[in-house]
Structure formats: structure tokens, C-alpha cells
Amino acid sequence: QVQLQESGPGLVEPSQTLSLTCTVSGGSISSAGYFWSWIRQHPGRGLEWIGYIYHSGSTYYNPSLKSRLSISVDKSKSQFSLKVNSVTVADTAVYYCARVNKLQQLVDYWGQGTLVTVSS
Amino acid sequence: SYELTQPPSVSVSPGQTARITCSGEALAKQYAHWYQQLPGQAPVLVIYTDTERPSGIPERFSGSSSGTTVTLNISGVQAEDEADYYCQSADSSGTWVFGGGTKLTVL
């Protein structure tokens, strides 16, 4: 059973960088058939795709967020990470990490989610 | 970029059939998937590639597709089905989009 766990600060000041890490267990982050994704959900709102990364390091970003995003992978630690630069209160959300089935382009495993609040 | 449109809310009585639609031009060429999100929990896949049901999902969940609209059907709705439901698709470049979500209320 694949498990994903988000970790990182729950509070970030405006204009700073939001950094989160997702630790994968129960499956290999180097598996050929999967991407590793970040998805967020603003309070009381719907889901927003942020982007995903392949174990090779290839990335795909939401065009509306691309200029502020960076997703990276550390295969040795079975982790992938998200950085969002120049955050504002609009970046306050629950952030989920997830495993994406590459062929079918769907999420088959989700992390539990972590709330990140942007506030001074 | 493209959009997927869902009704904000659907209400049904227990035992009835709930139908939640998701519309978008890309759906004429791309598959859609459906997720159920219970309050305070991460989403769970309930239908994939328009009509397929993952193992462990009750048979009362089904999906259909016609043109640019996909539909999630929940027959014999139960109180435990009250949740938010999201459709999701991806275009040929790998860009994803979620529908705005539909809140299913069991009366």
C-alpha cells in the first residue's frame, strides 16, 4: 500500500517561499508508470492542480502558477518537494501530494493534506 | 486552457439516483475521472476513464459519457454518499484541470 505524507511549515509570511516535502513509502518513487504531483485546495473551495514531476526530474506545471513554482525529486530519500515563491494570502490552502498514474492521468493515491496559511 | 463545468449542488432523497454532470469541450477527446471528497478528508477516486469503477468502490457508482459531457451516477443513494464530487481531466500536453466540484446533499 503506497503512502504519502506531506511535511513543512504550517505558517508562511507574505512574500516568502512556501516549501513542502512529500515522503513516499510502500512503493518506489522511481517506478516508470507514475508521476508525483501537488494539488491544493483553498478553504471551502475546489481542487487546483499545481504540477507534477517524473522520477527523471521532468516537470509539468499549471501555467497559471508556473512562474512561481519549483517541484523537485530526491530519489535517495523517496521524497519530492514543492516550492512556491512570493506567496500571498491567496496561496493559503490545504496542499496535497499525490501519486499520478501516468498512462491514465489520474490520482490513485493521495496524502492526507497539510494546511499552509500565509499570514504575517 | 480549458474548463470543466459542474453544477454547484445536487440534492436527492435516500434511495434515489443522483446524477452529477461535468461538461467541457476537451471531454470529446479526453477521458474524465471522478473523485469523492468526504468532509475533512482527501479525495478518493470513484470512477476513472469515464466509466470504470476502481476495486472497492460500491457498484452503485457508475459513469457515462456523451459528447462533451460526462456523468457520475449514484444509484440507491445512501447518507454516507453525501460529499463533494470532482471531475478531472488532462489535455494532450499533460495539463490538468478539475471541475469546480458538486456538493451532493442527501435529504
Short mmCIF file of all heavy atoms in Angstrom, two decimals, chain A residues 39 41 45-49 52 60 63 96 100 104-107 110-111, chain B residues 33 35 37 41-43 45 48-49 86 88 90 93-96 98 100:
data_model
loop_
_atom_site.label_atom_id
_atom_site.label_comp_id
_atom_site.label_asym_id
_atom_site.label_seq_id
_atom_site.Cartn_x
_atom_site.Cartn_y
_atom_site.Cartn_z
N ILE A 39 -1.29 19.11 -5.46
CA ILE A 39 -2.63 19.64 -5.70
C ILE A 39 -3.03 20.41 -4.46
O ILE A 39 -2.70 20.00 -3.35
CB ILE A 39 -3.63 18.47 -5.95
CG1 ILE A 39 -3.26 17.75 -7.26
CG2 ILE A 39 -5.07 18.97 -6.00
CD1 ILE A 39 -3.87 16.36 -7.39
N GLN A 41 -6.07 22.97 -2.30
CA GLN A 41 -7.49 23.26 -2.13
C GLN A 41 -7.63 24.45 -1.20
O GLN A 41 -7.35 24.35 0.00
CB GLN A 41 -8.23 22.05 -1.57
CG GLN A 41 -9.74 22.21 -1.50
CD GLN A 41 -10.44 20.90 -1.20
OE1 GLN A 41 -9.92 20.03 -0.49
NE2 GLN A 41 -11.64 20.71 -1.76
N ARG A 45 -13.08 25.68 -0.99
CA ARG A 45 -13.13 25.76 -2.45
C ARG A 45 -12.76 24.42 -3.08
O ARG A 45 -12.58 23.41 -2.41
CB ARG A 45 -12.14 26.84 -2.92
CG ARG A 45 -12.38 28.22 -2.30
CD ARG A 45 -13.64 28.87 -2.85
NE ARG A 45 -13.57 29.12 -4.27
CZ ARG A 45 -12.99 30.19 -4.81
NH1 ARG A 45 -12.42 31.10 -4.05
NH2 ARG A 45 -13.00 30.34 -6.14
N GLY A 46 -12.65 24.45 -4.40
CA GLY A 46 -12.36 23.23 -5.15
C GLY A 46 -10.87 22.92 -5.24
O GLY A 46 -10.03 23.60 -4.65
N LEU A 47 -10.57 21.88 -5.98
CA LEU A 47 -9.20 21.40 -6.14
C LEU A 47 -8.50 22.15 -7.28
O LEU A 47 -9.11 22.44 -8.31
CB LEU A 47 -9.21 19.90 -6.46
CG LEU A 47 -9.86 19.02 -5.39
CD1 LEU A 47 -10.10 17.61 -5.93
CD2 LEU A 47 -8.97 18.96 -4.14
N GLU A 48 -7.24 22.42 -7.07
CA GLU A 48 -6.42 23.09 -8.09
C GLU A 48 -5.14 22.31 -8.31
O GLU A 48 -4.36 22.10 -7.37
CB GLU A 48 -6.09 24.53 -7.67
CG GLU A 48 -5.26 25.28 -8.70
CD GLU A 48 -4.93 26.70 -8.27
OE1 GLU A 48 -4.82 26.95 -7.06
OE2 GLU A 48 -4.79 27.57 -9.16
N TRP A 49 -4.91 21.89 -9.54
CA TRP A 49 -3.69 21.18 -9.87
C TRP A 49 -2.52 22.15 -9.89
O TRP A 49 -2.59 23.21 -10.51
CB TRP A 49 -3.85 20.51 -11.23
CG TRP A 49 -2.61 19.87 -11.76
CD1 TRP A 49 -1.95 18.78 -11.26
CD2 TRP A 49 -1.86 20.29 -12.91
NE1 TRP A 49 -0.85 18.51 -12.03
CE2 TRP A 49 -0.77 19.40 -13.05
CE3 TRP A 49 -2.00 21.32 -13.84
CZ2 TRP A 49 0.16 19.51 -14.07
CZ3 TRP A 49 -1.08 21.43 -14.86
CH2 TRP A 49 0.00 20.54 -14.98
N TYR A 52 3.32 18.33 -11.57
CA TYR A 52 3.86 17.04 -11.17
C TYR A 52 5.26 16.85 -11.76
O TYR A 52 5.71 17.61 -12.62
CB TYR A 52 2.93 15.89 -11.53
CG TYR A 52 2.39 15.83 -12.94
CD1 TYR A 52 3.20 15.53 -14.02
CD2 TYR A 52 1.04 16.02 -13.19
CE1 TYR A 52 2.69 15.44 -15.30
CE2 TYR A 52 0.51 15.94 -14.46
CZ TYR A 52 1.34 15.64 -15.51
OH TYR A 52 0.83 15.56 -16.79
N TYR A 60 5.94 19.24 -15.03
CA TYR A 60 4.79 19.80 -15.72
C TYR A 60 4.07 20.70 -14.73
O TYR A 60 3.69 20.24 -13.65
CB TYR A 60 3.84 18.69 -16.20
CG TYR A 60 4.48 17.70 -17.14
CD1 TYR A 60 5.27 16.67 -16.64
CD2 TYR A 60 4.30 17.79 -18.51
CE1 TYR A 60 5.86 15.76 -17.49
CE2 TYR A 60 4.89 16.87 -19.36
CZ TYR A 60 5.67 15.86 -18.84
OH TYR A 60 6.26 14.96 -19.69
N PRO A 63 0.03 26.29 -15.84
CA PRO A 63 0.51 27.53 -16.49
C PRO A 63 0.25 28.78 -15.66
O PRO A 63 1.04 29.73 -15.71
CB PRO A 63 -0.27 27.55 -17.80
CG PRO A 63 -0.57 26.13 -18.09
CD PRO A 63 -0.81 25.50 -16.75
N TYR A 96 -2.00 18.97 -1.01
CA TYR A 96 -1.94 17.52 -1.08
C TYR A 96 -0.79 17.09 -2.00
O TYR A 96 -0.61 17.67 -3.08
CB TYR A 96 -3.22 16.94 -1.67
CG TYR A 96 -4.46 17.12 -0.86
CD1 TYR A 96 -5.37 18.13 -1.14
CD2 TYR A 96 -4.76 16.24 0.19
CE1 TYR A 96 -6.54 18.28 -0.40
CE2 TYR A 96 -5.93 16.38 0.94
CZ TYR A 96 -6.80 17.41 0.63
OH TYR A 96 -7.96 17.55 1.37
N VAL A 100 0.36 9.98 -9.36
CA VAL A 100 -0.42 10.06 -10.59
C VAL A 100 -0.10 8.87 -11.48
O VAL A 100 1.06 8.59 -11.76
CB VAL A 100 -0.11 11.37 -11.35
CG1 VAL A 100 -0.74 11.36 -12.74
CG2 VAL A 100 -0.60 12.57 -10.55
N GLN A 104 -3.04 6.88 -17.41
CA GLN A 104 -4.44 7.27 -17.33
C GLN A 104 -4.62 8.70 -16.83
O GLN A 104 -5.73 9.24 -16.87
CB GLN A 104 -5.19 6.29 -16.42
CG GLN A 104 -5.23 4.88 -16.98
CD GLN A 104 -5.83 3.88 -16.01
OE1 GLN A 104 -5.56 3.93 -14.82
NE2 GLN A 104 -6.66 2.99 -16.52
N GLN A 105 -3.54 9.33 -16.40
CA GLN A 105 -3.60 10.73 -15.95
C GLN A 105 -4.65 10.91 -14.85
O GLN A 105 -5.55 11.74 -14.95
CB GLN A 105 -3.89 11.65 -17.13
CG GLN A 105 -2.75 11.74 -18.12
CD GLN A 105 -1.63 12.64 -17.63
OE1 GLN A 105 -1.84 13.79 -17.27
NE2 GLN A 105 -0.41 12.11 -17.61
N LEU A 106 -4.50 10.12 -13.77
CA LEU A 106 -5.38 10.26 -12.64
C LEU A 106 -4.59 10.03 -11.36
O LEU A 106 -3.50 9.45 -11.37
CB LEU A 106 -6.54 9.24 -12.74
CG LEU A 106 -6.18 7.75 -12.87
CD1 LEU A 106 -5.83 7.11 -11.52
CD2 LEU A 106 -7.35 6.98 -13.49
N VAL A 107 -5.16 10.48 -10.23
CA VAL A 107 -4.53 10.26 -8.94
C VAL A 107 -5.04 8.95 -8.36
O VAL A 107 -6.26 8.76 -8.23
CB VAL A 107 -4.85 11.40 -7.95
CG1 VAL A 107 -4.29 11.06 -6.58
CG2 VAL A 107 -4.26 12.72 -8.44
N TRP A 110 -3.39 9.57 -2.51
CA TRP A 110 -3.29 10.93 -2.01
C TRP A 110 -2.62 10.93 -0.63
O TRP A 110 -2.80 9.99 0.15
CB TRP A 110 -4.67 11.55 -1.83
CG TRP A 110 -5.49 11.72 -3.07
CD1 TRP A 110 -6.15 10.73 -3.77
CD2 TRP A 110 -5.79 12.95 -3.73
NE1 TRP A 110 -6.83 11.29 -4.83
CE2 TRP A 110 -6.63 12.63 -4.83
CE3 TRP A 110 -5.44 14.29 -3.50
CZ2 TRP A 110 -7.10 13.61 -5.70
CZ3 TRP A 110 -5.92 15.26 -4.36
CH2 TRP A 110 -6.74 14.92 -5.45
N GLY A 111 -1.91 12.00 -0.33
CA GLY A 111 -1.52 12.25 1.04
C GLY A 111 -2.71 12.77 1.81
O GLY A 111 -3.78 13.02 1.25
N HIS B 33 -12.20 11.62 -14.98
CA HIS B 33 -12.19 10.79 -13.77
C HIS B 33 -13.00 11.52 -12.71
O HIS B 33 -13.11 12.75 -12.73
CB HIS B 33 -10.76 10.57 -13.30
CG HIS B 33 -9.80 10.25 -14.40
ND1 HIS B 33 -9.87 9.09 -15.15
CD2 HIS B 33 -8.76 10.97 -14.92
CE1 HIS B 33 -8.92 9.09 -16.04
NE2 HIS B 33 -8.23 10.22 -15.94
N TYR B 35 -13.76 12.00 -8.44
CA TYR B 35 -13.28 11.83 -7.08
C TYR B 35 -14.38 12.22 -6.11
O TYR B 35 -15.10 13.20 -6.34
CB TYR B 35 -12.04 12.70 -6.82
CG TYR B 35 -10.89 12.43 -7.76
CD1 TYR B 35 -10.77 13.12 -8.96
CD2 TYR B 35 -9.92 11.48 -7.46
CE1 TYR B 35 -9.73 12.87 -9.84
CE2 TYR B 35 -8.86 11.24 -8.33
CZ TYR B 35 -8.78 11.93 -9.52
OH TYR B 35 -7.75 11.68 -10.39
N GLN B 37 -14.94 13.47 -2.20
CA GLN B 37 -14.24 14.04 -1.06
C GLN B 37 -15.20 14.20 0.10
O GLN B 37 -16.09 15.05 0.07
CB GLN B 37 -13.58 15.37 -1.40
CG GLN B 37 -12.71 15.91 -0.27
CD GLN B 37 -11.99 17.20 -0.63
OE1 GLN B 37 -12.52 18.04 -1.34
NE2 GLN B 37 -10.78 17.37 -0.11
N GLN B 41 -11.44 15.15 4.54
CA GLN B 41 -10.60 14.05 4.05
C GLN B 41 -10.05 14.35 2.66
O GLN B 41 -10.53 15.23 1.95
CB GLN B 41 -11.42 12.76 4.02
CG GLN B 41 -11.88 12.29 5.39
CD GLN B 41 -12.49 10.91 5.34
OE1 GLN B 41 -12.22 10.11 4.44
NE2 GLN B 41 -13.32 10.60 6.32
N ALA B 42 -9.03 13.58 2.30
CA ALA B 42 -8.50 13.67 0.94
C ALA B 42 -9.48 13.03 -0.03
O ALA B 42 -10.26 12.14 0.35
CB ALA B 42 -7.15 12.96 0.87
N PRO B 43 -9.47 13.47 -1.28
CA PRO B 43 -10.35 12.85 -2.29
C PRO B 43 -10.02 11.37 -2.50
O PRO B 43 -8.91 10.92 -2.22
CB PRO B 43 -10.06 13.67 -3.56
CG PRO B 43 -9.53 14.97 -3.04
CD PRO B 43 -8.74 14.62 -1.82
N LEU B 45 -10.70 8.30 -5.59
CA LEU B 45 -11.14 8.02 -6.95
C LEU B 45 -12.34 7.07 -6.91
O LEU B 45 -12.26 6.00 -6.30
CB LEU B 45 -9.99 7.38 -7.73
CG LEU B 45 -10.22 7.07 -9.21
CD1 LEU B 45 -10.30 8.36 -10.02
CD2 LEU B 45 -9.11 6.17 -9.74
N TYR B 48 -13.01 6.06 -13.11
CA TYR B 48 -11.91 6.50 -13.96
C TYR B 48 -12.21 6.19 -15.42
O TYR B 48 -13.02 5.31 -15.72
CB TYR B 48 -10.59 5.91 -13.51
CG TYR B 48 -10.46 4.39 -13.64
CD1 TYR B 48 -9.82 3.82 -14.74
CD2 TYR B 48 -10.95 3.55 -12.64
CE1 TYR B 48 -9.69 2.46 -14.86
CE2 TYR B 48 -10.83 2.17 -12.76
CZ TYR B 48 -10.19 1.63 -13.86
OH TYR B 48 -10.06 0.28 -13.98
N THR B 49 -11.56 6.89 -16.29
CA THR B 49 -11.75 6.81 -17.74
C THR B 49 -13.23 6.73 -18.10
O THR B 49 -13.69 5.80 -18.77
CB THR B 49 -10.97 5.64 -18.36
OG1 THR B 49 -11.35 4.40 -17.73
CG2 THR B 49 -9.49 5.87 -18.20
N TYR B 86 -15.75 15.72 -7.61
CA TYR B 86 -14.98 16.50 -8.60
C TYR B 86 -14.68 15.64 -9.82
O TYR B 86 -14.26 14.48 -9.68
CB TYR B 86 -13.64 16.95 -8.01
CG TYR B 86 -13.77 17.91 -6.86
CD1 TYR B 86 -13.83 17.46 -5.54
CD2 TYR B 86 -13.83 19.29 -7.09
CE1 TYR B 86 -13.96 18.35 -4.48
CE2 TYR B 86 -13.94 20.19 -6.03
CZ TYR B 86 -14.01 19.71 -4.74
OH TYR B 86 -14.13 20.59 -3.70
N GLN B 88 -12.21 15.40 -13.26
CA GLN B 88 -10.84 15.81 -13.59
C GLN B 88 -10.47 15.23 -14.95
O GLN B 88 -10.84 14.11 -15.28
CB GLN B 88 -9.87 15.31 -12.51
CG GLN B 88 -8.40 15.53 -12.81
CD GLN B 88 -7.70 14.26 -13.25
OE1 GLN B 88 -7.84 13.21 -12.65
NE2 GLN B 88 -6.88 14.35 -14.30
N ALA B 90 -7.29 15.73 -18.35
CA ALA B 90 -5.99 16.26 -18.75
C ALA B 90 -5.98 16.44 -20.25
O ALA B 90 -6.57 15.63 -20.97
CB ALA B 90 -4.86 15.33 -18.31
N SER B 93 -1.27 17.88 -23.69
CA SER B 93 0.04 18.38 -23.27
C SER B 93 0.37 17.99 -21.84
O SER B 93 1.46 18.27 -21.35
CB SER B 93 0.10 19.90 -23.40
OG SER B 93 -0.72 20.52 -22.41
N GLY B 94 -0.58 17.37 -21.16
CA GLY B 94 -0.36 16.96 -19.78
C GLY B 94 -0.87 17.95 -18.76
O GLY B 94 -0.66 17.77 -17.56
N THR B 95 -1.49 19.02 -19.21
CA THR B 95 -2.07 20.00 -18.29
C THR B 95 -3.38 19.47 -17.73
O THR B 95 -4.24 19.03 -18.48
CB THR B 95 -2.32 21.34 -19.00
OG1 THR B 95 -1.08 21.85 -19.48
CG2 THR B 95 -2.94 22.34 -18.05
N TRP B 96 -3.50 19.54 -16.44
CA TRP B 96 -4.69 19.03 -15.77
C TRP B 96 -5.69 20.14 -15.48
O TRP B 96 -5.33 21.30 -15.34
CB TRP B 96 -4.30 18.40 -14.43
CG TRP B 96 -3.78 17.03 -14.51
CD1 TRP B 96 -3.06 16.46 -15.52
CD2 TRP B 96 -3.92 16.02 -13.50
NE1 TRP B 96 -2.75 15.17 -15.20
CE2 TRP B 96 -3.26 14.87 -13.97
CE3 TRP B 96 -4.53 16.00 -12.25
CZ2 TRP B 96 -3.21 13.69 -13.22
CZ3 TRP B 96 -4.48 14.82 -11.51
CH2 TRP B 96 -3.82 13.69 -12.00
N PHE B 98 -9.46 20.44 -12.95
CA PHE B 98 -10.55 19.89 -12.15
C PHE B 98 -11.81 20.71 -12.41
O PHE B 98 -11.75 21.93 -12.61
CB PHE B 98 -10.22 19.98 -10.66
CG PHE B 98 -9.19 19.01 -10.19
CD1 PHE B 98 -7.85 19.37 -10.11
CD2 PHE B 98 -9.55 17.72 -9.80
CE1 PHE B 98 -6.88 18.47 -9.66
CE2 PHE B 98 -8.60 16.82 -9.34
CZ PHE B 98 -7.27 17.20 -9.28
N GLY B 100 -15.28 22.41 -10.89
CA GLY B 100 -15.43 23.22 -9.69
C GLY B 100 -15.98 22.47 -8.49
O GLY B 100 -15.94 22.97 -7.37
#
